[in-house]
Amino acid sequence: MIRASLSRDAQYHMTGKMALRTTVPVFLLLLSAFLSHVEASPPVPLVINTWPFTNATEKAWQVLQISGAGHGLLDALVAGCGECQTQRCDGTVGYGGSPDESGETTLDAMIMNGDTFEVGAVGDLRRVKDAIGVARAVMEYTEHTLIVGESATRFAVGMGFKEESLSTNSSRQMWKDWRARNCQPNYRQNVTPDPRSSCGPYRPLAKRGRGVLGARGRGSAAVGPDNHDTIGMVVVDEGSHVMAGTSTNGMNHKVPGRVGDSPVMGAGAYAWSKVGGAAATGDGDIMMRFLPSFQAVNLLQQGRNVTQAAREAIAPIAKFFPHYVGALIVADAVGNFDAACHGLSGGFHYSVVSPATAGKVRVFVAQCS
């Protein structure tokens, strides 16, 4: 540092050997400054998604390379989430998984355009496989944000989507096994007969008990990566345009009609171009009460880095529901990314691809609180 600060005149009067000794440190300092600048500006485009669903990450990346910036982000996002739907990532995204109490598989999905804040979402979608595609149709062909249930199915069919069963042999067996276990796990409460040992039919108790949810340790046993995953994806391009989306078949053996956090903007995902995006996964009934994806992006807008935003957005959930299970991915508009999680003993695995990973999908692991 001392040599780097010497004046030009002082360097001019040095001997050749001394000048060489001076020049080398100056070069190294300049090189170090250049590399630090490169490291401080991670390259985009970027694709990041929850869980090690690398097939979805790769598909979104391929489409992004073809489509380019701007509108191509939506194509990449839909293709990536759609890949997970088709290949049934972990059996909990797309058709053929997570049957409800009646044995039917239903789907939730959403897509958000960070340029315009437009959102399209579907909840409790029945008999249509391409949930993320229908969510995009809601955004592009209606002035609405969220359509649910049988009405969502009718809308999808009207838009040209195929109506077909979402059940498979595996999902039917899953439901039979659940029935054989006296319908456990079970998400009913304050009803009779006792939902901890009975399949019902249920009737409300004359006097509702309070505190039952906490007493059961909400999220500690009923929700985990083996029975409830969501693909949540964020895509960023060179122009700092940001898109986010989700797709899931929801919680296994849920009460029919249940809609989780995935299709709820600000809960399941959120995008704000020039700022960043986030997506959540886990116990949606708890997480949606705190809007963690919106909170994370809003924290980015206030000046937090991605690590701070992820941790601060998820911290209040753990404070009030210490037994819940969930995770959050966060990316800013220049390609920085991180994740935070709670209740996953092996940490939270998530997938990323960008020029910083040499265009190859990499799986990162966040350690949970």
Side-chain angles (χ1 to χ4, degrees):
M1 293 296 294
I2 295 175
R3 288 171 179 163
S5 64
L6 291 174
S7 69
R8 182 178 299 176
D9 289 339
Q11 292 182 31
Y12 179 81
H13 291 291
M14 288 178 180
T15 64
K17 183 180 293 186
M18 182 63 71
L20 178 61
R21 290 175 180 172
T22 303
T23 303
V24 172
V26 171
F27 170 78
L28 291 177
L29 284 171
L30 292 173
L31 178 61
S32 175
F34 171 76
L35 292 176
S36 297
H37 174 72
V38 171
E39 292 173 357
S41 302
V44 285
L46 168 76
V47 177
I48 178 172
N49 58 263
T50 57
W51 306 107
F53 298 154
T54 56
N55 55 336
T57 325
E58 177 64 29
K59 183 65 174 181
W61 181 254
Q62 290 174 354
V63 173
L64 190 60
Q65 303 310 298
I66 298 171
S67 301
H71 194 70
L73 284 177
L74 291 176
D75 297 334
L77 184 65
V78 170
C81 291
E83 187 76 1
C84 235
Q85 292 174 164
T86 301
Q87 297 192 21
R88 301 169 57 206
C89 291
D90 269 11
T92 62
V93 179
Y95 71 99
S98 299
D100 63 19
E101 284 184 347
S102 68
E104 183 178 13
T105 295
T106 60
L107 307 178
D108 301 336
M110 71 158 284
I111 189 168
M112 182 168 185
N113 185 330
D115 291 347
T116 63
F117 297 100
E118 292 176 295
V119 175
V122 288
D124 191 31
L125 177 67
R126 305 172 182 183
R127 304 184 304 281
V128 176
K129 290 183 177 180
D130 187 8
I132 192 71
V134 180
R136 183 177 186 174
V138 171
M139 183 178 72
E140 294 184 336
Y141 302 121
T142 81
E143 295 183 1
H144 300 314
T145 296
L146 173 63
I147 301 178
V148 301
E150 288 290 345
S151 296
T153 302
R154 288 194 294 271
F155 168 77
V157 172
M159 292 294 100
F161 291 87
K162 182 181 179 180
E163 185 173 3
E164 56 190 319
S165 174
L166 301 182
S167 296
T168 61
N169 289 336
S170 61
S171 68
R172 284 187 283 267
Q173 186 61 50
M174 194 182 305
W175 179 74
K176 291 177 181 178
D177 292 343
W178 177 74
R179 294 283 298 183
R181 295 193 305 269
N182 294 322
C183 300
Q184 300 304 307
N186 192 298
Y187 301 101
R188 303 276 184 164
Q189 65 174 5
N190 301 316
V191 296
T192 185
D194 189 344
R196 291 171 294 186
S197 59
S198 172
C199 292
Y202 306 104
R203 301 184 307 278
L205 290 172
K207 183 178 181 180
R208 292 184 300 167
R210 299 198 61 180
V212 176
L213 201 62
R216 293 173 61 186
R218 183 67 166 94
S220 59
V223 179
D226 59 336
N227 72 354
H228 176 63
D229 289 350
T230 298
I231 181 166
M233 180 176 285
V234 177
V235 185
V236 185
D237 72 5
E238 297 92 333
S240 293
H241 303 282
V242 184
M243 311 288 165
T246 64
S247 183
T248 183
N249 55 43
M251 191 174 286
N252 208 349
H253 316 307
K254 60 194 173 186
V255 176
R258 179 261 188 187
V259 175
D261 64 323
S262 296
V264 178
M265 57 300 308
Y270 200 79
W272 187 345
S273 292
K274 310 301 181 183
V275 177
T281 183
D283 190 345
D285 290 293
I286 295 300
M287 297 184 74
M288 69 194 302
R289 304 171 190 180
F290 295 83
L291 299 177
S293 295
F294 169 76
Q295 294 284 13
V297 176
N298 193 45
L299 287 166
L300 290 177
Q301 197 275 333
Q302 294 175 18
R304 306 297 203 282
N305 63 39
V306 288
T307 302
Q308 294 168 333
R311 293 176 179 175
E312 290 182 34
I314 213 168
I317 315 176
K319 177 181 178 181
F320 289 99
F321 295 92
H323 299 292
Y324 96 98
V325 175
L328 183 71
I329 55 170
V330 180
D332 66 21
V334 295
N336 295 295
F337 62 87
D338 207 344
C341 57
H342 182 83
L344 293 166
S345 59
F348 170 60
H349 295 65
Y350 62 101
S351 305
V352 178
V353 61
S354 76
T357 66
K360 304 296 183 182
V361 179
R362 286 187 56 193
V363 174
F364 292 82
V365 183
Q367 298 306 312
C368 299
S369 59

